[in-house]
Amino acid sequence: MRTIVLNNRIIEYDVKYNAKKNVNIRIRPDLRLNVSAPRWVLKSQLEKILNEKSSWIIHNLEKQKQEEKAEKYNVFENGHAIWLFGMKYRLYFRTDTRNYVYIMNDQIFVCSKRENDLEYAQGIFKNWLKDYAYSYYFEVLNKYKDKLRTKYKIPDFSLQVREMKTRWGTCIPSKKKITLNLSLMYTPQKYLEYVALHELIHFLEIYHNEHFYSIFEEFMPDYKERQVTLNREYSRINR
Ligand SMILES: [Zn+2]
């Protein structure tokens, strides 16, 4: 693997020499380049060509990145990519004597008793996802509850995990109830933390006012960056 700097970006590429007449550039799914070139092309000549084509390369790298991001997060089909904790996994359905789900490296296996019943198997996975989310969200909420409690009074509360179209979470202080969106499972943990802390602060302040944000700042100095990125990068998950 070679590297080249194009428009201040380090680009990795592989070169294959062949008998063709032209230099060919292909963008791989992992955002590296496959370059094929005639045998007589020198390294310096190849680098010059890559530099000349840099705007095409950068444009297509960006395009591919965007397309990847736009890929649906919650399509539960065999072999389909899904995101958990902001990382890409591949989902596989199997038949077995009982129902269970396990993760191995970047693969998730959903084992189902019923052969050729995708809907049933999807149900197994969704239930697993919800159960997982419930424990995981509770852990993160408790971490921030304990932090807040060093200074503020936060009540014990119940948690609900739901698929919601327009919100990442809600808090009803009078009912001591927090609801978090199942879709937070698809994002990196720092965004779950952001939403968890946001909802917990509502036990202290109902409005999104200065007081609210001063508490936020105190316990998560980079909350604003997390808020902006969550809504910019991941808002389509809800839709
Ligand atoms: Zn709020």
Side-chain angles (χ1 to χ4, degrees):
M1 188 71 60
R2 292 184 191 170
T3 59
I4 187 169
V5 177
L6 300 175
N7 296 13
N8 295 320
R9 279 176 58 164
I10 298 167
I11 312 280
E12 290 181 306
Y13 67 101
D14 263 329
V15 190
K16 269 204 182 113
Y17 292 98
N18 57 28
K20 287 188 185 131
K21 279 187 183 155
N22 299 313
V23 171
N24 233 300
I25 304 165
R26 200 174 60 82
I27 294 172
R28 306 191 336 193
D30 61 0
L31 303 179
R32 290 165 170 168
L33 307 181
N34 271 349
V35 179
S36 62
R39 293 185 211 287
W40 51 263
V41 173
L42 298 173
K43 194 182 172 203
S44 58
Q45 290 172 317
L46 192 63
E47 286 181 347
K48 195 172 161 245
I49 293 169
L50 288 174
N51 262 300
E52 282 165 4
K53 296 204 171 178
S54 64
S55 56
W56 180 88
I57 292 167
I58 300 290
H59 172 79
N60 282 284
L61 277 174
E62 280 307 316
K63 204 172 120 194
Q64 186 144 325
K65 229 172 158 181
Q66 293 309 323
E67 278 169 7
E68 176 146 314
K69 272 191 198 158
E71 213 177 315
K72 282 271 188 202
Y73 276 75
N74 49 3
V75 175
F76 304 146
E77 275 166 20
N78 199 36
H80 204 276
I82 71 157
W83 271 257
L84 284 185
F85 328 112
M87 287 181 288
K88 196 174 183 174
Y89 292 85
R90 227 160 253 287
L91 193 62
Y92 295 102
F93 292 101
R94 295 264 171 91
T95 311
D96 205 344
T97 50
R98 60 186 179 92
N99 299 336
Y100 61 101
V101 176
Y102 68 98
I103 302 182
M104 207 169 68
N105 304 321
D106 55 354
Q107 297 173 318
I108 299 172
F109 294 95
V110 181
C111 301
S112 157
K113 298 192 283 200
R114 288 199 205 166
E115 216 174 319
N116 299 322
D117 192 341
L118 181 62
E119 214 171 303
Y120 180 76
Q122 285 170 331
I124 295 169
F125 181 63
K126 268 194 192 169
N127 284 338
W128 176 87
L129 196 63
K130 266 199 172 161
D131 283 351
Y132 194 103
Y134 188 84
S135 314
Y136 172 50
Y137 292 0
F138 228 170
E139 229 169 69
V140 170
L141 279 164
N142 278 332
K143 185 172 106 182
Y144 280 91
K145 181 189 78 184
D146 291 345
K147 285 188 187 195
L148 285 163
R149 275 186 177 172
T150 59
K151 210 175 155 183
Y152 300 102
K153 243 185 135 157
I154 301 285
D156 287 322
F157 52 86
S158 66
L159 167 66
Q160 192 186 16
V161 178
R162 273 182 48 205
E163 290 177 83
M164 292 187 276
K165 285 262 180 282
T166 56
R167 319 180 73 162
W168 292 114
T170 60
C171 177
I172 308 171
S174 60
K175 291 187 178 168
K176 293 180 187 144
K177 186 176 152 187
I178 287 179
T179 305
L180 296 179
N181 198 327
L182 181 66
S183 296
L184 285 164
M185 278 297 285
Y186 308 131
T187 73
Q189 185 176 324
K190 59 193 288 199
Y191 304 111
L192 167 63
E193 289 177 357
Y194 159 78
V195 177
L197 181 57
H198 180 118
E199 302 313 335
L200 285 167
I201 295 172
H202 276 312
F203 284 124
L204 306 169
E205 175 60 65
I206 318 165
Y207 300 106
H208 299 128
N209 54 18
E210 231 171 275
H211 178 224
F212 181 91
Y213 286 113
S214 71
I215 303 168
F216 226 139
E217 177 91 47
E218 206 181 330
F219 290 88
M220 191 178 281
D222 66 341
Y223 79 89
K224 219 173 249 172
E225 188 268 317
R226 298 193 202 202
Q227 178 187 43
V228 169
T229 314
L230 176 66
N231 291 322
R232 191 185 57 211
E233 304 280 322
Y234 294 100
S235 58
R236 76 197 168 281
I237 294 176
N238 290 336
R239 282 177 221 127

